[in-house]
Amino acid sequence: MTTDNRTTDEAAREAGVEVRPVAGYIGAEIAGVDLAAGLDDAVVAAIRAAVLRWKVVFFRGQRLDHAGHVAFARRFGPTVVLPRRGKASPPDFPEIETTADRLELGGRFGMEHDEWLRRRRHTLLRGWHCDHGARVDPPAATILRAETVPPYGGDTTWSNLAAAYAGLSAPLRQFVDGLRAEHRLGVGYQPRPGDDAYVRHLLDRQVASVHPLVRVHPETGERILYVNGYYVEQIAGLSRPESAAVLEMLLEQAVRPEYTVRFRWEPGSVAFWDNRATMHLAPSDTAHLDHPRIMHRVMLAGDVPVGVDGRASEPITGTAPGRW
């Protein structure tokens, strides 16, 4: 399947759904679909085409419960079952992770949540990430459903990494096409003085892989600038100062406003994004608000990225294709 506009438009017309782009390079709202109802193949094909074309699509006013969420996700591929989830996640639906679990993490390691976030986010771009990018086979897609959101704040932002790559100059595209980078869990974490339980956690459960800096999308054939601020440790073959300078430049390119879209959540909103071609930024403007934000996500199993030169990603530690 390609991202040709005609393919997307024809699929939508045949399915009787409306795809409304919301930004120039990324993001579209899909109307006329009840995700809780049984979707026919034409609607599924239209949604798939829109995700590939616009990288993230949004649905509003949906009435999905946990079972419906999982059933919808399975129309697009095998779902991921996480071996470890927090107590906020529904025990009877192992495919679903409830994001309120993230608020528990700091407390597990003897820190307030704010301190834990502060120690993890060492740069302004640190929060930008693709889901589970340190794995050798990151998820292909994520479907996130809003249950409860604050009356203001809490928006999520996505960036189109295919557009970011295409926006580089030709000499720079040629330079980065052949590079590879190490993606590692816990990059940039600032340890606490003395014993640090989170450092011990990272060492015991380390996950790291070497990915191409430019991956070829397995469905569209697009070249993707495969960087993010959360997992990328270093570009292989470059010195640390060289790597830091190149990564900073590429990350700044990837988050240029014209390549991004920001979504205002409402209860019943659903976002479905291509985790292979985007990175996203979770909100950081709700910690001081006295309002809950409860979201549920299901991820689709992904493949091992392949670079422009045909070389696949390689695991370093703690990861193997298909094993979570």
Side-chain angles (χ1 to χ4, degrees):
M1 184 177 293
T2 70
T3 58
D4 184 89
N5 292 353
R6 290 170 298 178
T7 302
T8 306
D9 294 342
E10 289 169 4
R13 282 196 299 269
E14 291 175 2
V17 302
E18 183 179 3
V19 178
R20 298 191 295 253
V22 294
Y25 285 101
I26 179 173
E29 289 199 11
I30 296 182
V33 178
D34 179 359
L35 301 184
L39 302 181
D40 62 32
D41 291 344
V43 173
V44 171
I47 294 172
R48 183 185 296 275
V51 171
L52 292 176
R53 169 68 179 90
W54 293 105
K55 313 311 182 201
V56 56
V57 299
F58 309 112
F59 305 87
R60 295 194 180 274
Q62 299 297 318
R63 299 167 295 165
L64 283 177
D65 56 13
H66 293 324
H69 191 168
V70 174
F72 171 66
R74 285 176 176 167
R75 295 299 306 275
F76 297 90
T79 54
V80 168
V81 175
L82 294 171
R84 292 178 297 275
R85 300 176 301 152
K87 62 185 181 183
S89 295
D92 296 333
F93 296 91
E95 303 91 343
I96 294 178
E97 183 177 33
T98 298
T99 59
D101 288 339
R102 316 308 294 177
L103 299 177
E104 303 173 8
L105 290 177
R108 294 182 196 174
F109 308 111
M111 288 176 270
E112 294 292 331
H113 186 68
D114 287 349
E115 180 187 355
W116 183 69
L117 285 178
R118 187 171 64 250
R119 291 185 176 279
R120 291 169 65 228
R121 295 185 174 177
H122 63 292
T123 73
L124 293 175
L125 298 178
R126 175 73 165 93
W128 284 95
H129 67 287
C130 64
D131 287 332
H132 292 277
R135 287 187 53 86
V136 71
D137 58 343
T142 298
I143 302 172
L144 186 63
R145 167 172 57 101
E147 177 183 321
T148 305
V149 297
Y152 51 89
D155 299 356
T156 304
T157 307
W158 289 263
S159 176
N160 182 340
L161 298 179
Y165 172 83
L168 295 171
S169 65
L172 192 51
R173 290 198 301 269
Q174 185 177 11
F175 171 61
V176 298
D177 276 350
L179 296 177
R180 296 165 71 81
E182 180 178 313
H183 296 232
R184 181 177 292 271
L185 185 65
V187 168
Y189 175 73
Q190 181 186 49
R192 297 179 112 193
D195 182 58
D196 189 312
Y198 188 58
V199 170
R200 286 189 275 109
H201 168 83
L202 289 173
L203 293 174
D204 290 343
R205 296 173 177 83
Q206 190 53 256
V207 179
S209 302
V210 173
H211 290 306
L213 198 59
V214 179
R215 73 175 292 186
V216 178
H217 196 288
E219 295 188 69
T220 69
E222 294 171 293
R223 294 187 181 186
I224 309 295
L225 183 60
Y226 207 52
V227 295
N228 65 79
Y230 189 87
Y231 293 111
V232 181
E233 171 74 19
Q234 185 174 356
I235 299 175
L238 302 187
S239 69
R240 293 193 73 86
E242 290 171 337
S243 174
V246 173
L247 284 174
E248 182 178 13
M249 174 185 61
L250 295 177
L251 283 168
E252 288 179 350
Q253 166 74 3
V255 300
R256 282 170 51 174
E258 59 263 40
Y259 301 140
T260 67
V261 65
R262 180 167 176 154
F263 184 62
R264 171 89 278 271
W265 293 96
E266 300 169 348
S269 295
V270 174
F272 183 171
W273 67 90
D274 189 334
N275 195 54
R276 303 161 296 189
T278 64
M279 61 178 175
H280 60 281
L281 181 66
S284 57
D285 62 347
T286 61
H288 64 293
L289 303 178
D290 188 23
H291 298 285
R293 185 178 186 272
I294 301 174
M295 319 285 281
H296 308 284
R297 76 171 178 180
V298 177
M299 297 178 293
L300 303 182
D303 51 3
V304 177
V306 175
V308 175
D309 58 4
R311 294 176 61 198
S313 299
E314 299 174 350
I316 297 175
T317 185
T319 178
R323 294 175 55 188
W324 283 78

